[in-house]
Amino acid sequence: MSEARPSYHVTPQSEWMNDPQRPFFLGGEWHLYYLYNADFNFSDPTAGGGTEWYHVTSQDMVTWTEHGVVIEKYQPNQNGVYLGDIETGSAVIDTDNTAGFGANAVVAILTQMADGIQQQSLFYSTDNGYTFTPFSGNPVMPNPNPTAKPAFRDPKVIWDSASAEWVMALAEGNKIGFYTSSNLKTWTYISGFFPQVDLGVLECPDLYQLDVDGDATKRTWVLAMGANGYLYGRTTGTAYWTGDWDGTEFTADNDLPQWMDSGPDFYATVSWADSSLGYASRYAIGWMNNWGYADDLPYYGGWAGQDSVVREISLVTIDGTATLVSVPISSYADIFDTGVSVYGKTITTDPSTASLPEMAGGAYVIYTTVSKNVGDDGDEVRIRIKGDGTFGTTVGYDFVHAQAFFVRDVDGVATESMATAPKQAYDAVRTALVPLAPSTITLSVYVDWNSVEIFVNNGVATLSGLIYPDSGAETIEMVSGTGQLTLDSFTYAGVSV
């Protein structure tokens, strides 16, 4: 198995990471925190150990500088009570000093859990998020029923300018609870959003606004959350609804959710604004893993876990529906070399007909456009990556069913020995319907040592997944399933930094 660390994804230097926490820009840099477990046991991943918040910063959201743990787990509160480890939440910049910790204090509200009881605690920073102090009144939101121990987690806090108050979305089992506050310390329940379909236990909610098609007159609210799409042939992922937030409740435009990514490994997603983008778009990042097999993966190199690339997301009308589309942020272009390209070739079941250029493998990006023209009788284009003649991963597009696909059931020897149930979840073929069934398809395939992220037709469909290729497995081939297709263009660019 290849043991190279990912080249352009956030990973821990050692041990375990999971949920990213919503970044913010302060002091001339982006601040990202993620859940980190320094006590992770590779021989027994289920042993626990608890998480805490780890801090990294960046100028471009591609290259990150580590600063270590900033909110520690298992510390007693002001009454000597141990509230547990430090789990998912969100941080806000309190510009107007509503909480009383000073103007521009960073206030983090997050879940702590001890003995299965989930409660919300507050920590604040007066040095731009580099160190945090626990609030003397923790927990600010005690669990409503400590005996029953209901789900009560993952607070996402935003400032609602229309009502001039703080709003929190909180995951509460099969619903999202909404709360308001004037000071970030005292919270009042106001309503709940209950999905009209079974999505399992909900986690990591998100609430924000975007302009549909960049039109400010069509500004729309989005409610997103971690969910289980098992009823729809999906795994866990990030579901979302467009709709309206009136300061009291969220009303969805449709009963059924849409999904931000159709791959197996895009979860605990957070999104954040950038003043330069306004409401036209915003950024998002997700945890690349899946609780269906996270405890069974063949981790290597003394570290476990990574985030996705940072994406720019926007709402676009597709076939009459406001839909989130996503593409990697432009800063990633700076890490790849000028690349090598071919144009106007033919794709058949024989990989030699595509005449692909010389490629080194490793960490890279592929940009390709493929058409099914008049006279072409091919059914699907397949790009085989990280191959060695026996093992490899396949991504591509099925022109018959208008869907992109991601196949990793033979990605490498390391995943062959996984236990039956997690292996089945890991091996399942993942597909993403591509709107309007185009006869020309554009694929941007971001390949790192341990992952693949596929963006179809400028992000109208995406698939993200981990892979565990064999050491030295670096072949790249392009073939059809049957018949002939037209390769309009193919560019390979490797990581240059």
Side-chain angles (χ1 to χ4, degrees):
M1 177 176 63
S2 172
E3 294 196 0
R5 180 180 290 273
S7 295
Y8 54 93
H9 289 79
V10 174
T11 60
Q13 278 297 317
S14 63
E15 315 311 328
W16 168 270
M17 72 170 290
N18 55 307
D19 302 8
Q21 310 302 307
R22 184 181 61 202
F24 57 84
F25 190 79
L26 188 63
E29 58 189 353
W30 290 102
H31 299 257
L32 167 68
Y33 306 91
Y34 59 77
L35 298 190
Y36 172 69
N37 181 5
D39 302 309
F40 182 71
N41 186 339
F42 286 93
S43 62
D44 183 11
T46 63
T51 54
E52 47 202 348
W53 276 26
Y54 197 101
H55 184 206
V56 294
T57 58
S58 178
Q59 298 290 326
D60 60 5
M61 293 185 286
V62 175
T63 302
W64 296 86
T65 300
E66 298 190 344
H67 302 288
V69 172
V70 291
I71 305 181
E72 297 182 2
K73 58 188 175 184
Y74 304 135
Q75 300 300 307
N77 72 353
Q78 67 282 354
N79 297 318
V81 176
Y82 289 83
L83 298 177
D85 64 348
I86 303 297
E87 300 185 354
T88 284
S90 55
V92 297
I93 302 172
D94 189 9
T95 307
D96 295 328
N97 191 27
T98 64
F101 304 122
N104 295 318
V106 179
V107 179
I109 300 178
L110 52 85
T111 300
Q112 290 194 267
M113 183 170 68
D115 299 322
I117 300 172
Q118 298 172 351
Q119 306 184 89
Q120 317 317 315
S121 292
L122 184 154
F123 297 78
Y124 62 94
S125 171
T126 57
D127 62 358
N128 289 356
Y130 277 84
T131 62
F132 282 83
T133 301
F135 173 52
S136 60
N138 283 336
V140 293
M141 294 179 69
N143 191 286
N145 189 343
T147 302
K149 302 179 181 180
F152 192 66
R153 62 179 305 131
D154 307 338
K156 189 63 57 65
V157 177
I158 65 169
W159 175 256
D160 185 355
S161 57
S163 57
E165 61 186 349
W166 297 102
V167 173
M168 175 191 293
L170 194 68
E172 301 178 358
N174 66 343
K175 77 163 187 174
I176 301 300
F178 293 108
Y179 300 77
T180 58
S181 175
S182 62
N183 61 11
L184 294 166
K185 302 171 185 175
T186 303
W187 293 88
T188 302
Y189 178 81
I190 55 171
S191 68
F193 174 78
F194 293 81
Q196 298 302 298
V197 292
D198 181 9
L199 294 170
V201 176
L202 306 176
E203 296 185 310
C204 305
D206 201 3
L207 181 66
Y208 53 90
Q209 286 181 287
L210 283 171
D211 293 341
V212 180
D213 302 320
D215 184 346
T217 66
K218 296 189 287 185
R219 188 159 298 166
T220 299
W221 285 90
V222 177
L223 176 63
M225 63 198 69
N228 192 329
Y230 72 101
L231 288 179
Y232 312 99
R234 295 175 175 270
T235 181
T236 53
T238 303
Y240 72 93
W241 289 260
T242 59
D244 179 62
W245 169 258
D246 63 3
T248 301
E249 62 183 358
F250 179 84
T251 304
D253 291 332
N254 298 287
D255 286 344
L256 294 178
Q258 300 183 77
W259 297 82
M260 286 186 70
D261 190 293
S262 296
D265 298 310
F266 190 75
Y267 194 68
T269 309
V270 294
S271 72
W272 64 100
D274 183 338
S275 59
S276 68
L277 301 176
Y279 291 95
S281 61
R282 60 195 284 121
Y283 302 124
I285 193 170
W287 176 50
M288 291 196 72
N289 211 327
N290 187 306
W291 287 118
Y293 43 74
D295 292 334
D296 295 88
L297 290 176
Y299 299 116
Y300 61 81
W303 61 275
Q306 69 179 65
D307 284 340
S308 70
V309 296
V310 177
R311 305 169 181 196
E312 185 175 352
I313 62 173
S314 56
L315 271 179
V316 176
T317 302
I318 299 176
D319 202 17
T321 300
T323 303
L324 284 176
V325 302
S326 63
V327 294
I329 59 172
S330 59
S331 299
Y332 285 104
D334 297 333
I335 69 170
F336 297 108
D337 59 32
T338 55
V340 289
S341 304
V342 297
Y343 302 93
K345 302 297 182 180
T346 299
I347 304 169
T348 68
T349 57
D350 178 357
S352 66
T353 63
S355 303
L356 298 185
E358 194 77 20
M359 296 172 284
Y364 53 88
V365 63
I366 290 171
Y367 306 107
T368 188
T369 301
V370 178
S371 296
K372 184 172 183 176
N373 294 327
V374 175
D376 286 340
D377 58 352
D379 56 353
E380 60 185 41
V381 57
R382 303 172 181 174
I383 306 173
R384 300 170 180 160
I385 61 173
K386 298 290 181 181
D388 61 6
T390 302
F391 292 95
T393 296
T394 302
V395 304
Y397 179 73
D398 179 346
F399 285 91
V400 176
H401 300 98
Q403 61 185 17
F405 54 83
F406 169 64
V407 186
R408 61 175 177 189
D409 57 336
V410 289
D411 60 340
V413 172
T415 55
E416 292 294 292
S417 59
M418 292 170 64
T420 301
K423 175 67 171 167
Q424 289 176 343
Y426 185 85
D427 285 354
V429 174
R430 303 299 174 185
T431 60
L433 288 174
V434 177
L436 307 179
S439 59
T440 295
I441 199 79
T442 298
L443 301 174
S444 299
V445 185
Y446 285 72
V447 181
D448 212 333
W449 293 96
N450 198 205
S451 62
V452 183
E453 292 164 88
I454 308 150
F455 300 85
V456 186
N457 284 5
N458 295 316
V460 300
T462 58
L463 290 153
S464 302
L466 296 174
I467 55 173
Y468 287 89
D470 292 345
S471 180
E474 294 298 351
T475 62
I476 303 171
E477 296 179 335
M478 177 177 277
V479 296
S480 63
T482 61
Q484 172 182 304
L485 296 166
T486 299
L487 177 57
D488 299 307
S489 64
F490 181 100
T491 296
Y492 163 96
V495 170
S496 59
V497 294

